[in-house]
Structure formats: structure tokens, C-alpha cells
Amino acid sequence: MEIKVSQDVKNLHSDVIVISQFEGEKTSQEIANVYAIEKDHFEGKLGQTYLLQTYGKIPADKILVVGCGKREEFTPTKITEVVAKAVKKLNQIHAKHVCFDFEVMCGKAGVIGAFIGDYVFDKYKTKKSNHLEEVTFANVKEEDVQEGLIFAQGMNFARDIANEPAAYATPTKLAELALSFEGLETKVFEKEEIEKMGMGAYLAVARGSAEPPKFIHMKYVGKNAKKKVAFIGKGLCFDSGGMDLKPASSMLTMRDDMSGAACVLGVMQSLTKLQPEGVEVHGIIAACENMPGQNAYKPGDILTAKNGKTVEVDNTDAEGRLTLADALCYACELGVDEVVDIATLTGACVVALGSIATGVMGNDEEMISKFLKTAKESGEKCWQLPMFEEYKDSLKSDIADMKNTGSRFGGASAAGVFLKEFVDGVKWVHVDIAGTAFLEKPQGIFCYGATGAGVRTLLNYATK
Ligand code: BES
Ligand code: MN
Ligand code: ZN
């Protein structure tokens, strides 16, 4: 899909011209000239669409009117939503060349919406889906188009790689992808080096698989870098549960358990194109698989993490926090001011927030607030969950410093307090995308599969 800008879309020949209509307002002159839309009870509610034939009255073959809801409630997030819905409709009617002639500025949010609406993962289908070829926006600044495009590419990259089967998106593949990005300093640590670094928790998880673990560290250094942040993505390329094997129905989508890693990869790739100044961003992934192979770690094992703390394995299916524990220790030693980890971490977070919102925790209220604000402005729904000290009680172990799981209840917070044990001297936010990273049925503007959760928020967080 190619994005163009023109101030004169009304005179361009296109398959469809898309026009915005706010709720409760009079129809614009263009539509009125072609058709009296009021007759058809089009109310302009958010996301409503209405298709008109133009019969040669204007250069476009058709007009798609999209409802934008109430004018005073309109936000950039709604622009993304409305454009994405319009694009879905345009693909249904096999449009190829379209123009968006919105009366409000579409900006970056509109461009992102066009790519979200157009996305499907059809690599393995012999019959491909319809896609728009050319989208021309009026009322958009060239630099907003560029920025929107880079954000959308980051999202699409993350979605593609998270949608891939585990047989394709292996730890080795993630490492190859990381190394292929130009403009970053990237180091991939092999198993022997990971052993030397003392990452006993992460290595234990990796042991049951024939796929070797890869510890990936990417670094972006902007001009005059002052702010230093690290983004850690959970990179479980497949989570079978390990010896505490998952039931078949829960295992089916566990190829998505590297969605945090996919997000970080997408973000790092986009940073090389955005070239933001004043920041240094580290992207970290402890990639591996959780499998019940003959060398697998077992319930009752005691592991020693990089910071020397010991963990009794209560359940091998609580593996993500073990890999993140060592990655957090590593990140805290980089001299960064802030660390964000993003992970498909707990089923409990899905129970709490469903697939609608991402769970957010952390050790610094100011940083949490900043993160939540950035998420909101990025069009991603996030919700803070508590990290009361008492959640630690359920992690008490008789034989080690802690267990890796506690009570089934409050599981998202228990995982949060577990991770906190491995954070030292930095501000930290933990982002649980277990419910939002992968959709088992279409929801809102997203189709089945990976959503690229976190990409927009982390990109804005790094660059704002
Ligand atoms: N990857 C899963 C969490 C998950 C569940 C992600 C559903 C996406 C959808 C994680 O590794 C896991 O298995 N967590 C367990 C922890 C439990 C054993 C304490 C869970 O949430 O059931
Ligand atoms: Mn698991
Ligand atoms: Zn997992």
C-alpha cells in the first residue's frame, strides 16, 4: 500500500473518495450534491459507513461516508479507528485507488489506521486477500505521513513475526532478524556465554528444547543521547508449559508467547528509521522455547538467577518470569534510567482485563503514570494493576528465596512482585500483554491473530 498526499483530492480520479461525517451535523456539500443522504438514516455514528455511487458527477466512482461520532469527542485514536474501519470496507468492495478527504487533519493517526485496517496475515494462504494499492490523503503533513508509516511498519513487523508458526519464528530466527537491522549495535549471546553471565533461571527454561537459546541485545544511540531506556520483550518462541504441560486448547496459540519480543524488534527497527535524538534505547530479548524435552527443568528444581537469588520451580509453566528475571538483572546493569518489560505473562491478566486492555505494574508511580498517559495517546488501552507487598506471601518457599508461582488468584500481580525481585536501582514498568497481543477472533479494527500490542506506546515512550 502506497501513501500519497494531495491537497486536491476532489479532482483526482479514484475508485472511492472517503469523506468524514460527524454525528448530528449537516452533510457536507459534496455529498449533498451527489445524493441526499439524510433519506437513508445515516447518523454519523463512530465507525458507521455508507457507500454512494457518484454516476460521474464527481471524478471518483464512489463516495464512502464514514461516521466520526460527536465532533467534540473526536481524538487521534478515533481517527485511527475510523480510517481502519473505512479501509476494511474498501477492501470488501475491492477498491484499489482511494482518497481520504476528511475535514479534520488525519495525520500520523490516520496513516496508522490505514495500515491496521489493511493488515491480514495471509502468507500461508494460496488465495491472497484484497489490499488497497494507493491511498491519497488530503489534509495531512508530509512528515506526519512518514512518521505514521514508520510506526505502522513497526507494528506490521511485530504482527508478522508473532503470527508466524513456532517452526519459523525460532530463537535463532529472532536473533537473525535482530542482526539484520541496520543502524543498531547488536550482540547475540550464545548458550555458553549465557552460562558465563550466570543466567541460571533463563537457561533452565531453555533446557528442554532442541532449539538453542539466544540472548539478544540491540542498542540504538541517538544524537546527544541523554535519556537511557531498556525495553525487554518476553521471547518464548513456544510455550508448551514444559513438564507441567499445558492442555491442548491452551497450547494452540502459544506461538504468540514471543509477542513481547516481536514488539521490541518492531520498535527497534522503527527507531532506526525515526532516528530520534536525545535517547539511547536498548532492546533485550531472552529468546528460547519451553518444552518438556529429556533435559527439561523440573518442578522442585532450584535455580539461581543472575543476581544470585534462588528460585524453587513450583510450576514449569511459569517460565516467562524466569527468563525475564535474568533479562531484568542484565538490563539493570546497563546504566539505564528506566526499564520496561513487555510480556505475554499471565492467564490471570487475561481473566482480569480480557483482550481489551493491557495490564501495567511497576515500582515508580511517576513512571507508571507517564507510561499510561503515553499508551492512551497512542491508542492502546492499558490499566494499572496493584503490586502490594502482600502478593509476595504466596511466593514463599521452604527451600529457596522464593517460588516461581503462588496462588492462582491475583496471578498477574504475583508475577509482578516476582519480577520486582530482579529489578535493582532503576525505574521499571511491567506490561502484561497476555490478553491483548493475540486475538482468537476479530475485535474492533484488528483481525484474527497478532495485534502488535505495545509497539505504538513504546515508540512514543522512547521518542517523546
Ligand atoms: N504464556 C503464558 C501466559 C499466557 C496465557 C499468555 C494465556 C497468553 C494467553 C505463561 O507462560 C503461563 O503459562 N502462565 C501461567 C502461570 C501459572 C502456571 C502460574 C498461567 O497464567 O496460567
Ligand atoms: Mn507458561
Ligand atoms: Zn509463557
Side-chain angles (χ1 to χ4, degrees), residues 234 236 238-241 246 254 256-258 290 316-321 323 344-346:
K234 172 173 169 181
L236 262 294
F238 191 71
D239 178 13
S240 70
K246 285 179 185 293
M254 280 302 137
D256 87 315
D257 213 18
M258 37 61 77
N290 186 22
T316 62
D317 199 10
E319 83 300 333
R321 62 196 74 183
T323 65
T344 45
L345 202 62
T346 65

